[in-house]
Amino acid sequence: MLNRVLDYARAHRDEYLKDLLEYLAIPSVSAQPDRARDVKMAALWLSGHLHEAGLRAEVMPTAGHPVVYAEWSGPDHHRPTVLIYGHYDVQPAEPFELWHSEPFRPVVRDGYLYARGASDNKGQHLAHVKAVVSYLRAEGTLPVNVKFLIEGEEEIGSPNLSAFIAAHRDLLACDCVMISDGALFNLTQPVLTYGLRGLVGFEVQVRCLDRDVHSGHYGGNVQNPAFALAQILASLKDAQGRVTVPGFYDDVRVLSAEERAALARIPYSDADVMRETGASMAFGEPEFTVNERKGVRPTLEVNGMWSGYTGPGSKTIIPATAHAKITCRLVPNQDPAKVIRLVQDAMRAAAPAGAEVTFSDARGTPASLVSLDAPQIQAAARAAAATYGNPPFYELEGGSIPVVHDFQSLLGKPIALLGFGLPDDNIHSPDERFAVVCYEKGIEASIRFIAEL
Amino acid sequence: MLNRVLDYARAHRDEYLKDLLEYLAIPSVSAQPDRARDVKMAALWLSGHLHEAGLRAEVMPTAGHPVVYAEWSGPDHHRPTVLIYGHYDVQPAEPFELWHSEPFRPVVRDGYLYARGASDNKGQHLAHVKAVVSYLRAEGTLPVNVKFLIEGEEEIGSPNLSAFIAAHRDLLACDCVMISDGALFNLTQPVLTYGLRGLVGFEVQVRCLDRDVHSGHYGGNVQNPAFALAQILASLKDAQGRVTVPGFYDDVRVLSAEERAALARIPYSDADVMRETGASMAFGEPEFTVNERKGVRPTLEVNGMWSGYTGPGSKTIIPATAHAKITCRLVPNQDPAKVIRLVQDAMRAAAPAGAEVTFSDARGTPASLVSLDAPQIQAAARAAAATYGNPPFYELEGGSIPVVHDFQSLLGKPIALLGFGLPDDNIHSPDERFAVVCYEKGIEASIRFIAEL
């Protein structure tokens, strides 16, 4: 059965790629209110696609963007059930001018499919969909029951997914969860992730004036909110990149010598960071290596910042306000609400005279660690080894997938985190891409995983 | 003759207002390349208007936006010549959403004309144009020769005007210069300005990465340019608002006790700054009063700042770059090139590890002091007293008019700086306005000034 399904998938690679191109053309940017119709379109496209493939599929409402749910059950009630999670929403594509092709006009160039969402996450979850399609078309059946939960709010922190999972525990009942929303180490080296950082975020506004004013009339006589924000931000880290917010690291677990040794074995170094990002140096807490800083240390970053006139030429004003978008990546034991409070308290305390500081849009999810012993995780490991040619590395991931924490607390089942992308897919960046071979290998890995369960 | 001209102007106030509304509807924003056609339109509108009034008028090219030049000469070659300067370009109107009516759809509301450029400077120089029109229509002649030099680049620092003046010294030959590009103290209290601050500016870019990257994958391992810029900016001022750039104040003249006493007599206080700007306190060098800080102390301000994602919602990236627009107001004795060098050196020195700092768009004009003894200045003082009911205050102005320095060095004639606006005209801000009565009084003051020369 397995070989026939694999052969079917290989024979239909062009059709499967065409479908992904179509899906990627829908600009489902969850963060942007004026894209709400496109987000809905992507949900409808996917549920229609699942329905055509022979699954029971529906678009289910939430308080925000809808969830696409689909399932296929065999006649034998004792077969295992796998729940496959993904997200059909994508990051904003701005700045558009840095893309070499349009983010929502997918093109294949030199073996890569370029489009916003190609790797994160449409290409990766559609690989699972195409694995199921291959079984159903080649064999008319699957050796397991399959459920798909594909959400539309991952890129904005999944604000409504906990409530959705809690309200639909019976519907989502399963034996294990499979999530492909990450990367291989390279094309022959898969990775099973056993830890994800959490994420908290908020926006800060510094207001000094009730409107922008003339910098000649008022310069030197009023507080400038851009300076005030700069002073506040500058107070949050020291010159080496350590976060100086009081209490920020208090709940962070001290690494054991074994953990440090294990992380030291990952062949990823300062030079890799420099090559991948264009940085002139790796930069961060000097007591830790890049692998430690990425996997087990929390971060505090500015994702965006703005104040006053940002157009061409000059405008000689003192701005009324200054703004920044702040996020922290959390490690296990850190409480999201506490971290938000600590950082906001530190920012308030650092506010200079004449600056009024307010916060909005606070949100957070804790970090997750998943167990690697379950037989389903070992099935994923065998499928990965057979597909890519090497047994997987076991790694901590610097990114965050909020739903992992919810699955752990609400479903309590093993979670396999097996990424299909590559580290240089430029996710969240201009020129996001997904290697065509990664899509095809992802389909194969999913087919093998289903067979191994 | 004077009374007949004044009567003519009063009888035609509605027509004169209608013309100003038409002029203000042209969005001549010199800083924005996509407004270049509108800037040209404003020049054509004005030269057409001057030509119709009976002046020899032309639109003269520069390396940037053109200059509108016009003149009227009487048969008697011994009469004095006044050169009237103004600028037909305006500040950007952003942020549009803070305006209560559209910036380029001028409306009169409660006695104020609301539009970008109403006070700064279309309303003020058109008042002079209408004074000349009133003489020519009522009397068919003027008691003096009049030249108009109305430029289109004042709001971007007049980069091409020095060269224009130097190349056309004969054309611009005159006995005095009149500039109305400022404000009365209030409707019954005119001000003659004897000092203007200079202005230098540049843009700074901080680059840490070759593109925006995922804050989960790289957070904690690379320098964040928004933090780097914040650290650089925060290093430039102390907590009290003093500029800490080494050498910044070195060339600033120490105030004499007499000067401090004179500035202390101006009835302008912290409370006025707070009321006019919405600031919760006046803020600046604690050793100086608001009048001293506005008139005789240099400043360093951020006019705009941006980095990363600034749209709705969140985008979990580390930005590749961060940017700020910086300007300094200069006082007499400060050399623009030196101040730019000192500030940029301090910013380079403050750049943290992993941050590459570059500068662009540097430009500057020194401060100016003008003599008050010339008979032409006294003519302006008499005209102001007769128009507004009180003899003028003599003041130092916080703003900058780059051309004043050029007129001093290239023409060497007395310069009268008599503003027709009000302090709360919201120039450079949303809801810029010009009181209709200020326009009418400005026309009257100009008619009287011409008669007094």
Side-chain angles (χ1 to χ4, degrees):
Chain A
M1 182 182 199
L2 175 63
N3 283 334
R4 285 195 304 272
V5 178
L6 289 171
D7 287 344
Y8 184 93
R10 286 180 195 122
H12 292 80
R13 62 211 300 176
D14 290 347
E15 177 199 332
Y16 288 0
L17 183 62
K18 206 183 107 289
D19 287 336
L20 177 54
L21 286 162
E22 196 176 290
Y23 189 24
L24 287 169
I26 309 169
S28 47
V29 182
S30 50
Q32 297 174 337
D34 60 351
R35 297 289 203 189
R37 173 180 287 188
D38 298 306
V39 175
K40 180 95 181 279
M41 277 302 297
L44 290 169
W45 185 95
L46 181 62
S47 73
H49 200 76
L50 287 158
H51 175 77
E52 259 180 51
L55 286 82
R56 188 174 76 68
E58 61 184 307
V59 175
M60 297 177 72
T62 73
H65 298 302
V67 160
V68 175
Y69 176 78
E71 63 174 41
W72 183 93
S73 302
D76 171 4
H77 287 293
H78 299 295
R79 64 178 68 197
T81 299
V82 56
L83 174 66
I84 297 169
Y85 164 86
H87 61 92
Y88 66 82
D89 66 320
V90 303
Q91 280 276 309
E94 289 85 352
F96 292 110
E97 67 276 13
L98 296 187
W99 286 73
H100 290 90
S101 54
E102 291 187 37
F104 299 109
R105 291 201 179 165
V107 291
V108 175
R109 210 161 60 227
D110 301 330
Y112 286 93
L113 174 47
Y114 285 85
R116 173 56 87 227
S119 177
D120 181 15
N121 170 260
K122 286 173 174 169
Q124 299 204 39
H125 68 255
L126 201 66
H128 287 293
V129 172
K130 290 304 186 187
V132 169
V133 166
S134 302
Y135 272 102
L136 292 176
R137 291 225 211 127
E139 299 293 319
T141 189
L142 281 153
V144 298
N145 298 328
V146 172
K147 296 179 176 179
F148 282 100
L149 169 61
I150 312 294
E151 70 154 318
E153 300 192 317
E154 198 270 350
E155 299 293 5
I156 53 172
S158 302
N160 298 297
L161 198 62
S162 306
F164 182 89
I165 296 170
H168 297 95
R169 280 162 113 142
D170 290 345
L171 186 71
L172 301 174
C174 62
D175 297 289
C176 71
V177 178
M178 164 56 83
I179 301 178
S180 296
D181 193 15
L184 304 158
F185 192 84
N186 60 46
L187 261 184
T188 59
Q189 182 54 64
V191 173
L192 269 168
T193 298
Y194 69 94
L196 288 159
R197 290 200 280 195
L199 181 65
V200 297
F202 57 85
E203 206 168 295
V204 58
Q205 175 183 275
V206 176
R207 177 178 284 281
C208 297
L209 306 171
D210 63 15
R211 63 178 200 289
D212 298 349
V213 301
H214 190 290
S215 72
H217 291 180
Y218 299 106
N221 271 329
V222 293
Q223 180 62 270
N224 182 318
F227 269 113
L229 177 61
Q231 288 165 6
I232 292 168
L233 293 175
S235 78
L236 300 178
K237 287 193 185 180
D238 70 13
Q240 277 75 47
R242 289 181 203 93
V243 177
T244 51
V245 172
F248 187 77
Y249 293 113
D250 279 0
D251 300 326
V252 177
R253 218 164 35 91
V254 174
L255 278 186
S256 69
E258 291 78 24
E259 286 174 300
R260 297 196 84 153
L263 285 164
R265 278 193 294 274
I266 300 171
Y268 187 73
S269 68
D270 288 24
D272 295 304
V273 170
M274 291 162 67
R275 183 177 41 76
E276 289 169 11
T277 64
S280 62
M281 61 188 292
F283 177 83
E285 296 179 274
E287 307 83 70
F288 297 94
T289 67
V290 288
N291 289 318
E292 291 166 352
R293 296 193 300 233
K294 176 177 174 180
V296 296
R297 297 296 296 173
T299 68
L300 171 59
E301 298 292 353
V302 176
N303 310 122
M305 177 167 81
W306 67 102
S307 178
Y309 182 66
T310 60
S314 73
K315 190 177 176 201
T316 45
I317 52 163
I318 299 178
T321 59
H323 309 256
K325 292 176 191 279
I326 309 277
T327 52
C328 296
R329 301 282 169 173
L330 306 186
V331 293
N333 297 333
Q334 286 190 296
D335 173 41
K338 181 179 169 186
V339 171
I340 290 174
R341 198 180 64 244
L342 290 174
V343 177
Q344 293 187 349
D345 284 353
M347 294 179 80
R348 258 187 225 101
E356 177 195 279
V357 177
T358 53
F359 300 100
S360 59
D361 201 20
R363 64 209 177 275
T365 340
S368 320
L369 283 178
V370 300
S371 155
L372 295 172
D373 334 325
Q376 295 92 342
I377 307 298
Q378 293 312 310
R382 289 191 301 276
T387 303
Y388 300 100
N390 287 293
F393 285 164
Y394 292 89
E395 279 195 10
L396 295 162
E397 168 57 58
S400 310
I401 309 179
V403 73
V404 170
H405 180 261
D406 297 326
F407 282 145
Q408 288 186 309
S409 60
L410 295 168
L411 304 180
K413 299 293 176 183
I415 300 172
L417 290 155
L418 178 66
F420 293 157
L422 285 170
D424 57 359
D425 278 349
N426 300 330
I427 68 171
H428 294 212
S429 300
D431 286 341
E432 179 176 346
R433 63 187 188 173
F434 191 43
V436 173
V437 65
C438 282
Y439 182 48
E440 292 165 2
K441 290 268 188 188
I443 295 168
E444 179 179 335
S446 180
I447 290 170
R448 290 184 185 278
F449 172 63
I450 288 167
E452 291 282 354
L453 275 176
Chain B
M1 182 181 198
L2 174 64
N3 284 333
R4 284 195 305 270
V5 178
L6 289 172
D7 286 344
Y8 185 93
R10 286 180 196 123
H12 292 81
R13 62 211 299 175
D14 291 347
E15 177 199 331
Y16 288 180
L17 182 62
K18 205 183 107 286
D19 288 335
L20 177 54
L21 285 162
E22 196 177 290
Y23 189 24
L24 288 169
I26 309 169
S28 47
V29 181
S30 50
Q32 298 174 338
D34 60 350
R35 297 290 203 187
R37 175 180 287 190
D38 298 306
V39 175
K40 180 94 180 280
M41 276 301 297
L44 291 169
W45 185 95
L46 181 62
S47 72
H49 199 77
L50 287 158
H51 175 78
E52 258 180 51
L55 286 81
R56 189 175 74 69
E58 61 184 307
V59 174
M60 298 178 71
T62 74
H65 298 301
V67 161
V68 175
Y69 176 78
E71 62 174 39
W72 184 93
S73 302
D76 171 6
H77 288 290
H78 301 294
R79 62 178 69 198
T81 298
V82 57
L83 173 65
I84 297 169
Y85 164 86
H87 62 91
Y88 66 83
D89 66 320
V90 303
Q91 280 276 308
E94 288 85 352
F96 292 110
E97 67 276 14
L98 296 186
W99 287 74
H100 289 90
S101 55
E102 291 186 39
F104 299 109
R105 291 201 180 165
V107 291
V108 175
R109 210 159 61 226
D110 301 332
Y112 287 93
L113 175 48
Y114 285 87
R116 171 57 87 226
S119 177
D120 183 14
N121 172 260
K122 287 175 175 169
Q124 298 203 40
H125 68 255
L126 201 66
H128 286 293
V129 172
K130 290 304 187 186
V132 170
V133 167
S134 301
Y135 271 101
L136 292 175
R137 292 224 212 128
E139 299 292 319
T141 189
L142 280 153
V144 298
N145 299 327
V146 172
K147 297 179 176 180
F148 281 100
L149 169 61
I150 313 294
E151 69 153 321
E153 301 193 314
E154 197 270 352
E155 299 293 5
I156 54 173
S158 302
N160 298 296
L161 198 62
S162 306
F164 181 90
I165 296 171
H168 297 93
R169 280 163 115 144
D170 290 345
L171 186 70
L172 301 174
C174 61
D175 297 290
C176 70
V177 177
M178 163 57 83
I179 301 178
S180 296
D181 194 15
L184 303 157
F185 192 83
N186 60 45
L187 261 183
T188 59
Q189 182 55 64
V191 173
L192 269 168
T193 299
Y194 68 95
L196 288 158
R197 288 200 282 197
L199 180 65
V200 298
F202 57 85
E203 208 168 293
V204 57
Q205 174 183 274
V206 177
R207 176 178 286 280
C208 296
L209 307 172
D210 64 16
R211 64 178 199 289
D212 298 350
V213 301
H214 190 291
S215 72
H217 292 180
Y218 298 105
N221 271 328
V222 292
Q223 179 63 270
N224 182 318
F227 270 114
L229 177 61
Q231 287 164 7
I232 292 167
L233 293 175
S235 78
L236 301 179
K237 286 193 187 183
D238 71 12
Q240 276 76 46
R242 287 181 203 92
V243 176
T244 52
V245 171
F248 186 78
Y249 294 113
D250 279 2
D251 300 326
V252 177
R253 217 163 36 89
V254 175
L255 278 187
S256 69
E258 291 76 28
E259 284 173 301
R260 298 196 84 154
L263 286 163
R265 278 193 294 274
I266 300 171
Y268 187 71
S269 68
D270 288 24
D272 295 305
V273 170
M274 292 163 67
R275 182 177 43 75
E276 289 169 12
T277 65
S280 62
M281 61 189 294
F283 176 83
E285 296 178 275
E287 308 82 70
F288 297 94
T289 66
V290 288
N291 289 317
E292 290 165 355
R293 296 192 302 232
K294 176 177 174 179
V296 296
R297 298 296 296 172
T299 69
L300 170 59
E301 299 292 353
V302 177
N303 310 123
M305 176 169 81
W306 66 102
S307 177
Y309 182 67
T310 59
S314 71
K315 189 176 178 203
T316 45
I317 52 164
I318 298 178
T321 57
H323 309 256
K325 292 176 191 279
I326 309 276
T327 52
C328 296
R329 299 282 169 172
L330 306 187
V331 293
N333 296 333
Q334 285 190 296
D335 173 43
K338 180 178 170 188
V339 171
I340 290 174
R341 197 179 65 244
L342 290 174
V343 177
Q344 293 186 349
D345 284 352
M347 293 180 80
R348 258 188 226 101
E356 176 194 283
V357 177
T358 52
F359 301 99
S360 57
D361 200 20
R363 64 211 176 275
T365 339
S368 319
L369 283 178
V370 300
S371 155
L372 294 172
D373 330 326
Q376 294 91 342
I377 306 298
Q378 293 313 310
R382 288 192 303 275
T387 304
Y388 300 100
N390 286 294
F393 285 165
Y394 292 89
E395 280 195 10
L396 295 162
E397 169 57 58
S400 310
I401 307 177
V403 73
V404 170
H405 179 262
D406 297 325
F407 282 145
Q408 287 187 310
S409 60
L410 296 169
L411 303 181
K413 298 294 177 181
I415 301 173
L417 291 154
L418 177 66
F420 292 158
L422 287 170
D424 58 357
D425 278 349
N426 300 329
I427 67 171
H428 295 212
S429 301
D431 286 341
E432 180 177 347
R433 63 185 187 175
F434 191 44
V436 173
V437 66
C438 282
Y439 182 49
E440 292 165 0
K441 289 267 188 189
I443 296 169
E444 180 179 336
S446 180
I447 291 171
R448 288 184 187 277
F449 170 64
I450 289 168
E452 291 282 352
L453 277 175

